[in-house]
Amino acid sequence: MAPEFKGIGVAQKRRRWLVIGFVLISMVSLLGFSVAPFLPNLFDQSASVASTPQNTPADLQADLKAQERGYELVIQREPDNRTALEGLVRTRAQLGNFQGLVEPLQQLVKLSPQEPGYAVLLAQAQLRLGDQEAAASTYRDVLTRSPGEPDALNGLVGLLLQQNKPEAAVGLLQDTLKVANQQTTPAVPPPPGQAPLQPQPINKADVQWLLGNVYAAQQRYPEALQVYDQILNRDKNDFRPLVGKALVLREQGKAAESQALFDSAVALAPAAAKDQIKQLATPPAAPPATPAPSTTPPAAAPQSPAAMPPAATSPATTP
């Protein structure tokens, strides 16, 4: 049974763990996964082209529109030009035209099914447009061809949690671990004329890390701790399960043990993750306590001077 915390309801605790879970899941990317060379800036609308002190926002917008038109002209002549398709995707993302990303990304997925990064970017664009079902379908297509593909698995688990479907996330991760334990990854035959997608070996530690976080988000703390320990038994230098265990122990009121694990995780983590772990190590502020209703009648409010009767004065005496 999950411990009780004064001033924090069950729903509040679960929401807090879901938020923490998203942060933890995002740390998978710190291990060096990359879906495409242009992914880091794809959805960064602050990125600009030909930026100079003289450029105004209107100038930058015009530059981007000109680049977009150039890429479109190339694609009209060469529909399968990958460089132009990538450039069009990047430019439209900087313009904030996420609807315009879908078609070129779909073409890139068709041209290069062996590169799951394009499909992951397509799913991200679909999420930007609010089409969660299409995004989930895109992620699942990748995982059907390559179970355990880290970016797709990470994205789909995050989406399922966002949809409040933790059991579906658990089932997905458990099925992925079964495939990993068989040490084979089934491949779906590619369409005629296309090269087969070569699935990469599934990293069990990455999958277990996600599974432990989902368990923790559901307050299934014993199962979460068991999964984190399984990771540590194989690799004592993996900082991620230390972070997960530290958060669980803090929720269980074991502050000293929790802080020790946070300290160990910071020592083992790469520089890019240290600040994030330190932020997680800071206990969340407790919500203000709701005062219990008082049974004592409130004291009478003091009267204003004008409402008070004049003070009695003693009669003047004559010397």
Side-chain angles (χ1 to χ4, degrees):
M1 181 178 294
E4 294 297 326
F5 297 91
K6 294 182 179 180
I8 304 179
V10 172
Q12 285 177 299
K13 286 187 289 181
R14 179 159 297 179
R15 282 195 298 271
R16 185 174 72 192
W17 254 110
L18 287 173
V19 170
I20 291 173
F22 280 123
V23 175
L24 295 175
I25 287 171
S26 71
M27 292 171 70
V28 172
S29 63
L30 296 173
L31 299 182
F33 298 127
S34 176
V35 299
F38 54 91
L39 175 60
N41 294 323
L42 180 60
F43 295 120
D44 182 4
Q45 295 186 56
S46 65
S48 61
V49 294
S51 179
T52 69
Q54 291 77 28
N55 277 355
T56 65
D59 293 331
L60 297 176
Q61 187 84 353
D63 287 340
L64 289 169
K65 294 295 289 185
Q67 287 195 15
E68 179 185 32
R69 182 58 181 160
Y71 288 129
E72 289 171 344
L73 291 173
V74 173
I75 293 169
Q76 285 177 10
R77 299 191 304 268
E78 306 173 45
D80 295 345
N81 188 312
R82 256 179 51 167
T83 301
L85 288 165
E86 289 181 359
L88 183 60
V89 168
R90 186 187 300 107
T91 303
R92 285 181 174 174
Q94 290 174 267
L95 287 167
N97 179 11
F98 297 106
Q99 183 67 55
L101 301 181
V102 174
E103 186 175 347
L105 281 171
Q106 287 175 332
Q107 181 67 1
L108 285 166
V109 171
K110 179 180 177 181
L111 290 172
S112 305
Q114 74 280 4
E115 296 185 15
Y118 294 125
V120 172
L121 294 177
L122 175 59
Q124 291 181 357
Q126 290 164 332
L127 286 175
R128 285 278 185 149
L129 296 170
D131 195 344
Q132 294 187 346
E133 292 306 314
S137 177
T138 300
Y139 282 135
R140 290 187 187 281
D141 286 344
V142 176
L143 294 172
T144 298
R145 294 191 297 269
S146 182
E149 200 290 319
D151 290 304
L153 190 63
N154 185 40
L156 184 54
V157 168
L159 176 56
L160 291 171
L161 289 179
Q162 185 180 353
Q163 294 175 327
N164 197 26
K165 298 178 179 178
E167 291 299 335
V170 168
L172 170 65
L173 294 168
Q174 289 177 336
D175 288 345
T176 304
L177 285 172
K178 289 178 183 177
V179 175
N181 288 333
Q182 295 169 359
Q183 297 183 347
T184 59
T185 49
V188 175
Q194 292 187 2
L197 176 63
Q198 297 297 328
Q200 296 184 351
I202 297 174
N203 188 316
K204 288 182 63 175
D206 293 343
V207 181
Q208 288 175 314
W209 162 241
L210 296 179
L211 179 59
N213 296 337
V214 175
Y215 280 145
Q218 293 181 274
Q219 298 178 19
R220 294 164 63 173
Y221 297 143
E223 291 163 286
L225 292 172
Q226 182 180 20
V227 173
Y228 294 143
D229 283 335
Q230 288 172 356
I231 303 173
L232 287 170
N233 287 339
R234 285 197 306 272
D235 185 359
K236 299 294 184 183
N237 294 320
D238 193 333
F239 70 95
R240 297 171 301 167
L242 295 175
V243 176
K245 290 186 67 174
L247 288 166
V248 168
L249 292 177
R250 186 169 69 194
E251 289 296 309
Q252 294 177 327
K254 302 174 182 179
E257 295 177 55
S258 171
Q259 189 58 53
L261 289 174
F262 275 126
D263 292 342
S264 297
V266 170
L268 291 172
K274 291 183 186 293
D275 288 339
Q276 196 173 14
I277 297 171
K278 290 177 182 178
Q279 291 174 3
L280 288 172
T282 303
T290 304
S294 174
T295 56
T296 305
Q303 294 176 298
S304 65
M308 293 182 181
T313 56
S314 55
T317 54
T318 304

